[in-house]
Amino acid sequence: MTSPFADRLGIEHPLIQAPMAGSTPPELVAAVSGAGGLGSLGAGYLEPQTILAQATRIRALGDWPYAIGLFVLPDEFEVDMAAVTKAREQLDALMAREGLDVRTSLPARWAPRFSDQFAALCEARPAAAIFAFGLIGQAQLHELHRRDIYVIGTATTVAEARAWADAGADAVSMQGAEAGGHRGGFLHEAEDAMIGLFALLPLAVRAMTALVRDVPVIAAGGIMDGRGMLAAEVLGAAASQLGTAFLTCPECSAAEAWKRDLPQVEEHRVTTIRGFSGRAARGLRNRFVEAMPQAAQGLPYPVLNALTAPLRRAAAEAGRGDLLSEWCGQAAGLVRPQPAAELVARLMHEYRLARRSLAH
């Protein structure tokens, strides 16, 4: 099926694979785009040269529209090194108690420079750019539009959606409380912006349709099948953005232990977590979350994220899903492990069946 949103981006289905940083290799992005959706490279953790290399690889796999997602962050960070030292001691002690021979280390820098990542995105020239954690500047937005890159801003409240619309974004992705991974908001405390998607969507659609120009609303959070996509459309969404649904695809680079845990996830164990990265994120409450040292929990993003990165890599190599950041949406137990292209086809088949059943 097609829609004005899909037609604008040159895709067949109003379906976006979420730009999940660290879990979206070129093979996953290309598979989704090749099946008619919009595959997305989650580049929030990538250095500029890696963004360009992966963009080249995506193009080599097929000349389909795709998106690149970035986290809007300052280029430099002020860091309380005394707090970092204390947190490192406690994290190292936790890993020792868990039997993993790994220790924290100080990175060369806490995160890639956003300005350099942005320049790489512009050079890669994807069909769309998806931003989270904050607004981009007017000069940056104009540069994207000059290159015919469609701009999607992530919002967790109507106020954030208006801010993106006022900034000139082409669409807003409304992230409901059910969404897995990091909260993409920027105007409110995360705990104040945990609004259920199906309450948030009509509010955002009403606000965006009241504007002088049309700003499509994308639904994100807890959508796992075609029925959910149709429900979002009925509430006014121009497209659906799915992340957790793609985590168990063989093309996804999520750790195998993480993939094994997802089908058994109980919904009451999916919660908001700060202990892995310093920023609120939705995921599975596992052993690491429950044992996380109190001192470390006070470190901000991306400092804590950088400190725990080697610990998470070691846990993945050891098959310890209970020590991983197992990000997932609220309905994670509905995952269907299968190739990404098959999943896209299945989602759209379910969508069409649900649409026909409503027509009778």
Side-chain angles (χ1 to χ4, degrees), residues 281-296:
R282 202 80 172 156
L284 180 60
R285 185 171 64 246
N286 57 15
R287 169 65 183 156
F288 187 99
V289 175
E290 292 170 348
M292 181 67 180
Q294 192 64 38

Side-chain angles (χ1 to χ4, degrees), residues 8-322:
R8 168 63 182 81
L9 285 170
I11 58 179
E12 184 180 354
H13 311 305
L15 167 63
I16 301 171
Q17 164 251 310
M20 301 173 287
S23 300
T24 56
E27 291 72 18
L28 175 62
V29 178
V32 174
S33 290
L38 185 70
S40 302
L41 174 65
Y45 304 147
L46 301 182
E47 293 291 343
Q49 62 271 24
T50 306
I51 293 175
L52 291 173
Q54 295 202 6
T56 299
R57 173 63 178 159
I58 293 168
R59 292 291 191 204
L61 291 169
D63 191 20
W64 302 294
Y66 74 100
I68 293 178
L70 290 180
F71 300 145
V72 181
L73 296 169
D75 280 349
E76 305 296 337
F77 307 93
E78 291 187 9
V79 179
D80 182 345
M81 292 307 298
V84 167
T85 298
K86 186 174 182 179
R88 290 182 64 193
E89 293 172 353
Q90 294 189 350
L91 287 167
D92 290 347
L94 170 59
M95 290 297 105
R97 289 196 302 271
E98 293 298 324
L100 286 188
D101 185 19
V102 60
R103 298 296 178 265
T104 56
S105 59
L106 292 178
R109 59 172 165 264
W110 299 108
R113 289 170 57 89
F114 174 73
S115 59
D116 295 337
Q117 291 179 312
F118 182 85
L121 183 152
C122 289
E123 184 176 343
R125 205 163 184 166
I130 305 174
F131 296 99
F133 296 6
L135 300 172
I136 59 173
Q138 283 296 302
Q140 292 171 321
L141 188 131
H142 291 155
E143 180 62 20
L144 292 169
H145 283 165
R146 187 180 72 81
R147 294 170 181 264
D148 196 30
I149 299 173
Y150 192 84
V151 179
I152 301 172
T154 302
T156 61
T157 65
V158 173
E160 290 174 350
R162 286 200 187 100
W164 269 113
D166 291 344
D170 299 298
V172 292
S173 177
M174 300 306 302
Q175 187 186 47
E178 304 90 337
H182 285 105
R183 303 297 297 162
F186 50 94
L187 290 180
H188 316 280
E189 291 295 327
E191 288 75 13
D192 295 332
M194 297 296 285
I195 306 161
L197 179 64
F198 282 7
L200 183 60
L201 268 180
L203 295 169
V205 169
R206 181 179 67 180
M208 295 301 97
T209 54
L211 301 174
V212 174
R213 65 186 181 90
D214 180 34
V215 179
V217 173
I218 299 161
I223 302 174
M224 297 294 290
D225 55 30
R227 298 171 303 167
M229 293 175 60
L230 179 61
E233 180 185 300
V234 170
L235 291 175
S240 292
Q241 179 172 297
L242 284 66
T244 303
F246 288 97
L247 281 175
T248 52
C249 293
E251 300 93 340
C252 178
S253 58
E256 289 304 314
W258 180 5
K259 292 184 178 186
R260 288 196 303 269
D261 287 345
L262 286 174
Q264 284 79 46
V265 167
E266 297 175 291
E267 68 281 358
H268 66 278
R269 292 191 63 80
V270 178
T271 187
T272 303
I273 302 162
R274 291 184 183 270
F276 281 105
S277 71
R279 187 179 179 94
R282 202 80 172 156
L284 180 60
R285 185 171 64 246
N286 57 15
R287 169 65 183 156
F288 187 99
V289 175
E290 292 170 348
M292 181 67 180
Q294 192 64 38
Q297 293 187 40
L299 291 177
Y301 185 95
V303 175
L304 183 56
N305 191 65
L307 287 183
T308 62
L311 312 184
R312 287 178 277 132
R313 284 194 296 270
E317 292 170 3
R320 291 288 301 273
D322 60 332

